[in-house]
Amino acid sequence: MQILIQLSLSLVGGLLLSRLAKKLNLPAVTAYLVTGLLLGPYCIGALNLFQLGFNSAEEVASLDIVSQVALGFIAFTIGNEFRLEQLKSMGKQAITVGILQAVVTTILVDAALIVLHFINPALISISSAITLGAIAAATAPAATLMVVRQYKADGPLTRLLLLVVAIDDAVGLMLFSASFGVASALESGAISILTVLVEPVIEIVLSLALGALAGWVLFWVEKFFHSRSKRLSISIGFVLLTVGLSMAEFEVGGVHFGFSLLLVCMMTGTIFCNICDFSEELVGRVDGWTAPLFVLFFVLSGAELNLSILANPAVLLIGVVYIAFRSLGKYAGAYGSCALTHCSDNIKKHLGITLLPQAGVALGMALTAQQLSDGAMVRSVVLFSVLVYELVGPALTKRSLIAAGEIQTEGKTNARKKNEPRKPVNLNG
């Protein structure tokens, strides 16, 4: 009973608050996150009223499976952006931008936090500074996708953005694994090539292989059905299957094997959309089915945000430095890499801003980073940055897409209107 009431309040409350957000010209994502904050254990939930809100962080964590499934569908949808015609027109640029903006962000945040360490060694350790630099590279695909879907954004910037946030997951995983390995070595005095290089590569390869296999099997199974409803059910079942399989972990000969949920589901969507001639229609139906799931995902994300960290001056100071230099890194990295790949001025000016949102992937990395001597501080800084980026990031993404001319004027979009099929675009202007 308690879970059903909480989920109901999350859905209805989020949707009602989105009406207010619309009047304030804010994306619906922001309303869902604020709803989560209000229902969370640091606001209404703290009052311990009968079944009203989430009374503790443990109650929110118990619904983590909802967030995992939502991330799976988000990744599957983004994977459908990797169509061959898209890759032919912008694949090289997307890969270059995806790698360089992440690396530049990591370098800038590393440098800023290491300088902060030398100014006050008691504030942050070198190992934590290096780890936070790698976490800074991660971009949240969920908030970006929701803004794009809500306003039916389309154009060169939007299409490059969706490809870059997908590539960012693999790059971020590599950067974090290498940086965390070095950070652990600094604390223990011994570096492990296995942890720093081998295991991250294995995780990426296994994830892509599992996703490719799932995408091919999904297409093979879909051929046995012709009913739209049954094909929809099969697609949903396969995304749930890939989410479940991606949670598997095992160890062989001292080598840890695992999967990235986002990479597995993205690869499933990529293979399926390129070998199935009815994939675009089917993915559109899957998107319609997942709308309530995405609302719950963002409400639960908002409920997870820990407001108590705002009382710690050290966390606030490090957090402000982290946010400032991560934002600079994303903008400068995107601008420079876009200039290098000869993207249009419109893309160069606006892409960096759209890469600011940060959430689930970064929090997962921060959870791993708790193994460091001051890992609790690392997690608190990431929680603070997520609080800021998730509340501000979607609005900034919307403004950038409007400025780029890829979102229609407010009030002229129709949620029931089907978008025209996308055509390959030229990123060079």
Side-chain angles (χ1 to χ4, degrees):
M1 180 179 71
Q2 181 180 5
I3 291 175
L4 290 175
I5 292 175
Q6 288 171 340
L7 292 178
S8 174
L9 286 174
S10 298
L11 268 175
V12 176
L15 291 170
L16 287 175
L17 201 58
S18 70
R19 296 297 86 196
L20 175 61
K22 185 174 182 179
K23 293 184 181 298
L24 298 174
N25 289 323
L26 292 173
V29 176
T30 304
Y32 304 150
L33 290 163
V34 171
T35 301
L37 275 174
L38 294 175
L39 293 176
Y42 303 98
C43 195
I44 292 176
L47 301 177
N48 287 313
L49 299 176
F50 177 71
Q51 313 295 348
L52 189 60
F54 301 96
N55 302 140
S56 66
E58 288 71 25
E59 284 187 9
V60 181
S62 68
L63 296 172
D64 185 57
I65 188 62
V66 175
S67 298
Q68 296 297 314
V69 170
L71 277 176
F73 280 101
I74 288 166
F76 180 75
T77 300
I78 291 177
N80 276 269
E81 296 298 321
F82 284 85
R83 296 179 181 271
L84 286 178
E85 62 268 23
Q86 291 286 83
L87 294 177
K88 287 176 183 177
S89 63
M90 62 179 75
K92 188 179 295 184
Q93 289 167 312
I95 292 171
T96 302
V97 174
I99 294 173
L100 289 183
Q101 57 83 25
V103 172
V104 168
T105 301
T106 295
I107 291 173
L108 283 180
V109 175
D110 275 346
L113 293 179
I114 288 173
V115 168
L116 192 61
H117 163 78
F118 284 116
I119 293 174
N120 186 353
L123 200 59
I124 185 172
S125 66
I126 292 286
S127 57
S128 293
I130 293 173
T131 303
L132 279 169
I135 294 174
T139 296
T144 302
L145 179 64
M146 285 293 286
V147 172
V148 168
R149 285 178 54 179
Q150 179 184 353
Y151 297 104
K152 301 191 183 301
D154 192 18
L157 173 60
T158 301
R159 297 176 199 180
L160 179 62
L161 169 62
L162 292 175
L163 294 177
V164 169
V165 296
I167 293 167
D168 186 87
D169 183 53
V171 178
L173 175 63
M174 288 292 293
L175 288 172
F176 176 75
S177 298
S179 298
F180 182 66
V182 171
S184 300
L186 289 174
E187 294 197 345
S188 65
I191 190 166
S192 170
I193 299 298
L194 183 69
T195 303
V196 174
L197 294 177
V198 177
E199 289 185 355
V201 172
I202 290 175
E203 181 171 333
I204 291 173
V205 171
L206 285 179
S207 298
L208 295 178
L210 176 60
L213 177 63
W216 183 83
V217 175
L218 171 58
F219 170 62
W220 182 76
V221 174
E222 293 279 13
K223 290 193 296 184
F224 290 99
F225 300 91
H226 302 286
S227 162
R228 289 177 174 178
S229 60
K230 289 179 180 177
R231 282 180 168 176
L232 173 62
S233 300
I234 291 294
S235 300
I236 292 169
F238 259 81
V239 175
L240 294 176
L241 176 63
T242 52
V243 170
L245 292 176
S246 67
M247 295 178 179
E249 294 183 359
F250 53 97
E251 192 171 305
V252 178
V255 181
H256 176 263
F257 293 88
F259 301 92
S260 164
L261 183 153
L262 289 175
L263 284 181
V264 172
C265 294
M266 270 192 273
M267 193 61 176
T268 302
T270 299
I271 296 299
F272 180 66
C273 79
N274 281 291
I275 64 176
C276 178
D277 56 359
F278 53 83
S279 63
E280 195 160 1
E281 179 193 354
L282 193 52
V283 171
R285 291 182 174 277
V286 171
D287 285 348
W289 182 87
T290 56
L293 186 63
F294 289 171
V295 174
L296 287 176
F297 170 77
F298 286 104
V299 172
L300 291 174
S301 296
E304 285 179 332
L305 298 177
N306 188 344
L307 297 182
S308 65
I309 59 175
L310 299 178
N312 189 334
V315 169
L316 293 180
L317 174 60
I318 299 171
V320 168
V321 173
Y322 173 88
I323 290 171
F325 281 88
R326 179 181 181 270
S327 301
L328 176 62
K330 286 292 180 183
Y331 187 83
Y335 191 97
S337 55
C338 285
L340 187 66
T341 53
H342 308 292
C343 291
S344 67
D345 289 339
N346 215 22
I347 294 177
K348 283 190 290 187
K349 285 193 298 183
H350 300 296
L351 180 63
I353 299 296
T354 62
L355 295 172
L356 291 181
Q358 187 174 49
V361 177
L363 289 173
M365 292 176 176
L367 194 61
T368 302
Q370 284 191 288
Q371 300 172 31
L372 298 174
S373 57
D374 53 351
M377 183 277 299
V378 171
R379 188 165 189 270
S380 295
V381 170
V382 174
L383 281 169
F384 173 62
S385 73
V386 167
L387 175 65
V388 174
Y389 280 126
E390 284 296 89
L391 293 177
V392 177
L396 292 177
T397 298
K398 176 193 172 185
R399 288 174 62 102
S400 293
L401 292 175
I402 289 175
E406 300 191 6
I407 287 180
Q408 297 181 43
T409 307
E410 195 73 48
K412 293 185 179 180
T413 56
N414 186 342
R416 295 181 177 85
K417 181 179 178 182
K418 184 179 178 181
N419 285 335
E420 294 298 320
R422 291 183 172 182
K423 299 177 182 178
V425 294
N426 181 6
L427 295 181
N428 302 321

